[in-house]
Amino acid sequence: MAMWRSTVLKAVLFGGALTSVVLVSPTFAAAPENAPGIIQPLADGDEPIVVTQHVVNTVHGPLRYEARAGRLAIRDAETGEVRAHIFFVAYVARTKDGKKRPLTFVWNGGPTASAMTLESQALGPRRITNDGFVDNAETLLSSSDLVFYDPIETGFSRPAKPEFAKEFLTVLGDFAETTEFIRGYRAKFTSQEQPLFLLGESYGTWRASGVAEMMAKRGEAIAGVILISGGVPGSLMPPQFQDAMYVPARTAAAFAQGRLAPDLMKNRDETMRELNAWIKSTYLPALEHLDTLSPAQRDAIAVQLARYIGVKPELIDRKTLVMSNLEYRKAAYGSDRALMLDTYDMRIKGPVPHLQNSRASISHYLRVELGYATDLTYEGEDEEGYTAVGQKRRTTWDQFVYDHTTITPESMARMKAGAGPPLSQPWIQNAMKLEPDMHVFVGAGRYDSLNMCEGNEIMASKPEPSVAARFETHCYEGGHMMYHDEATRLKISEDLASFFARTESQAHAKP
């Protein structure tokens, strides 16, 4: 790992806070143990980056690491004008053998959301609880260096001018912004030789797939892409497939809540096998040939579907033989809206408990533990921060534009009914064709209303064999944020560690 050269100053005013710091030159030589430091700007528009040293207790023992918190400038390619500043937190572990560790860029979904959920609840070295931040024993830092990336208008990331925001708040603009950030980070920290991985959750799987294609077209090697709770973007499966493959998550949730018939409650694995066989032999073919079904056939299918998902048969529309995600979550417990199933984890009914004092904990972690003592408002931490003066803040959801394909009224209607954003493209498949060493990890939660474990397996098998062989799919006990379950968090960490090691060994095995 690079060492740091430093010069101690008594105090530096940074972001409105007076703190003791160490100025660190970009030559990256040695700094005193546990001393906070600052990487000074090199060009107009650059900002300082704060560096701190830490130790985390993991399931593998103590791990020493360095945290870097700051904002990188995104510039106009021709003029060098700063168009935005991207906030990131990077964690770099020390190695004794000098071996190049994997480097994983991590982001969340939305669109658009900061990476704080993944950083503080799943993968980072510190995990948020009701009592504040504690060591995350299952941190992915044990296996890979991590860079948590906040897209424009999330976290501390901001456009340089309000009118620049629209350049980034589109699908294609988002891909380009992220690709440029990765290039800038790797150049600044001379990490181009580290095996590169991309990890996205939810809509972030689109970003990971699109960025992988952009980088592959430039000839930049990507070792692996990790898609969490977003399926296999660009599989272009018909709506009937999606409607059918949403059913297993509902059956699993109904089993967890004891809402199925007694014979279906005996053994979940057997019930799921029976259900999936019925979907393949009867339900999906029926959806694909609705116009050929008689009233009696429609009734029989509706009754069986209702039986498998734990609702009354009369709630199944005989015209479509489908319940949308929103309809199902509302109907699972009858007319009692206080018991509506949660979008992200259908084991949960009614209001979802939230972490206590999370805003204060996040603020303390960023500004005190990591030393990034800025007076900017962290998106999601203090929503009032941008309403007191200047332009009233609009949500990124209100501003975001899907510009990657033609958006139809049908696709928008499905999105509003809970089926997710419209018509992703085969970005990841294109990237895998361009980069023959790239492998893809796909993970989903068993109880997530927005995902489909069995559907992922089918979608990953659809490309030509040379591409399909490089997908691996996983189904975890949990919801959209399946890492909320401690045992699942550990299992994901273990599976990803194996993915890193296996991908690296396969790359080395090639002549």
Side-chain angles (χ1 to χ4, degrees):
M1 182 185 125
M3 300 300 289
W4 302 83
R5 183 176 69 234
S6 60
T7 305
V8 178
L9 298 185
K10 293 183 179 179
V12 169
L13 187 64
F14 177 66
L18 194 63
T19 57
S20 296
V21 300
V22 177
L23 282 184
V24 184
S25 79
T27 52
F28 309 139
E33 192 72 15
N34 298 322
I38 291 179
I39 300 174
Q40 288 289 62
L42 289 176
D44 289 344
D46 284 357
E47 295 185 352
I49 295 171
V50 180
V51 179
T52 48
Q53 309 296 327
H54 308 265
V55 178
V56 59
N57 292 309
T58 77
V59 293
H60 307 290
L63 178 67
R64 305 184 69 83
Y65 68 94
E66 175 178 281
R68 304 165 180 166
R71 303 201 310 173
L72 290 187
I74 302 296
R75 302 176 184 274
D76 183 280
E78 292 186 3
T79 68
E81 178 189 19
V82 175
R83 309 294 282 186
H85 285 96
I86 301 289
F87 180 70
F88 71 94
V89 177
Y91 301 101
V92 179
R94 299 183 178 183
T95 58
K96 296 179 180 179
D97 56 9
K99 183 179 179 182
K100 299 292 184 182
R101 282 166 52 86
L103 174 63
T104 304
F105 287 84
V106 182
W107 44 74
N108 214 297
T112 51
S114 76
M116 182 52 68
T117 298
L118 282 171
E119 180 179 354
S120 66
Q121 299 182 29
L123 306 178
R126 297 278 284 165
R127 184 169 57 82
I128 192 171
T129 70
N130 285 330
D131 298 320
F133 276 77
V134 300
D135 280 0
N136 180 15
E138 299 83 26
T139 177
L140 192 60
L141 185 59
S142 295
S143 305
S144 171
D145 291 347
L146 304 172
V147 182
F148 291 92
Y149 159 88
D150 289 350
I152 294 299
E153 295 284 18
T154 75
F156 294 132
S157 299
R158 300 286 187 273
K161 298 178 182 178
E163 58 266 30
F164 293 165
K166 62 179 181 292
E167 300 176 12
F168 307 106
L169 295 176
T170 73
V171 172
L172 299 181
D174 179 55
F175 293 173
E177 161 201 337
T178 308
T179 303
E180 174 58 15
F181 169 81
I182 293 172
R183 184 208 62 78
Y185 178 93
R186 295 172 81 196
K188 189 173 188 70
F189 294 101
T190 59
S191 59
Q192 293 94 332
E193 294 183 6
Q194 292 181 257
L196 178 63
F197 291 80
L198 311 177
L199 188 157
E201 180 183 72
S202 196
Y203 165 82
T205 61
W206 283 29
R207 184 182 294 127
S209 300
V211 169
E213 183 184 30
M214 282 188 172
M215 296 186 71
K217 286 180 176 178
R218 296 180 181 183
E220 299 180 55
I222 300 174
V225 177
I226 300 160
L227 308 175
I228 302 296
S229 295
V232 183
S235 299
L236 303 180
M237 304 300 284
Q240 294 87 350
F241 173 85
Q242 191 176 47
D243 289 332
M245 301 316 298
Y246 276 144
V247 172
R250 300 172 186 176
T251 300
F255 187 97
Q257 296 163 352
R259 293 190 293 108
L260 298 178
D263 62 313
L264 296 178
M265 289 298 301
K266 291 179 180 178
N267 183 295
R268 194 187 79 168
D269 290 343
E270 290 182 6
T271 294
M272 297 303 291
R273 280 193 290 270
E274 177 185 322
L275 165 71
N276 284 302
W278 177 76
I279 289 174
K280 181 179 180 180
S281 67
T282 304
Y283 187 50
L284 181 54
L287 296 183
E288 293 171 334
H289 302 91
L290 272 176
D291 293 342
T292 69
L293 300 179
S294 68
Q297 289 174 316
R298 290 173 181 270
D299 279 339
I301 291 171
V303 168
Q304 190 70 332
L305 176 61
R307 179 173 178 269
Y308 280 130
I309 63 178
V311 300
K312 296 178 180 179
E314 56 265 31
L315 294 176
I316 307 298
D317 187 334
R318 294 318 195 256
K319 291 182 179 180
T320 65
L321 297 178
V322 167
M323 292 187 79
S324 72
N325 273 333
L326 183 59
E327 289 170 339
Y328 176 72
R329 292 188 296 104
K330 287 181 176 179
Y333 278 91
S335 60
D336 190 348
R337 293 294 181 262
L339 297 179
M340 181 175 173
L341 300 184
D342 181 56
T343 300
Y344 303 112
D345 190 336
M346 291 188 291
R347 293 173 298 179
I348 301 173
K349 54 182 182 292
V352 179
H354 295 286
L355 287 167
Q356 299 173 10
N357 304 315
S358 61
R359 291 181 180 179
S361 295
I362 291 170
S363 178
H364 184 274
Y365 179 67
L366 293 171
R367 292 180 169 91
V368 179
E369 283 199 41
L370 298 186
Y372 194 75
T374 179
D375 56 5
L376 280 172
T377 300
Y378 192 83
E379 184 275 328
E381 173 196 343
D382 182 3
E383 296 299 337
E384 299 302 317
Y386 272 75
T387 60
V389 295
Q391 180 176 317
K392 185 175 181 179
R393 186 180 180 88
R394 292 186 297 155
T395 67
T396 51
W397 178 264
D398 292 334
Q399 300 177 67
F400 199 82
V401 176
Y402 291 96
D403 64 344
H404 64 293
T405 188
T406 300
I407 307 301
T408 65
E410 180 185 18
S411 63
M412 290 302 295
R414 289 182 63 82
M415 183 169 70
K416 292 178 180 178
L423 298 173
S424 61
Q425 300 299 302
W427 303 299
I428 192 65
Q429 296 86 345
N430 294 340
M432 295 172 77
K433 292 173 185 176
L434 292 167
E435 177 50 78
D437 291 333
M438 182 190 302
H439 287 70
V440 178
F441 180 109
V442 182
R446 177 77 277 177
Y447 309 102
D448 182 4
S449 80
L450 302 174
N451 272 273
M452 47 190 80
C453 287
E454 292 81 0
N456 287 348
E457 294 180 15
I458 296 171
M459 289 188 289
S461 70
K462 289 296 183 181
E464 57 264 42
S466 63
V467 172
R470 287 180 280 138
F471 277 101
E472 62 177 80
T473 61
H474 300 261
C475 186
Y476 295 102
E477 288 298 305
H480 199 72
M481 290 75 76
M482 73 280 288
Y483 41 79
H484 285 172
D485 296 70
E486 183 177 355
T488 299
R489 191 166 62 246
L490 176 58
K491 183 68 169 67
I492 294 171
S493 180
E494 292 173 342
D495 288 345
L496 287 175
S498 176
F499 177 69
F500 289 131
R502 189 166 58 254
T503 300
E504 189 174 3
S505 64
Q506 289 169 342
H508 289 163
K510 288 185 175 294

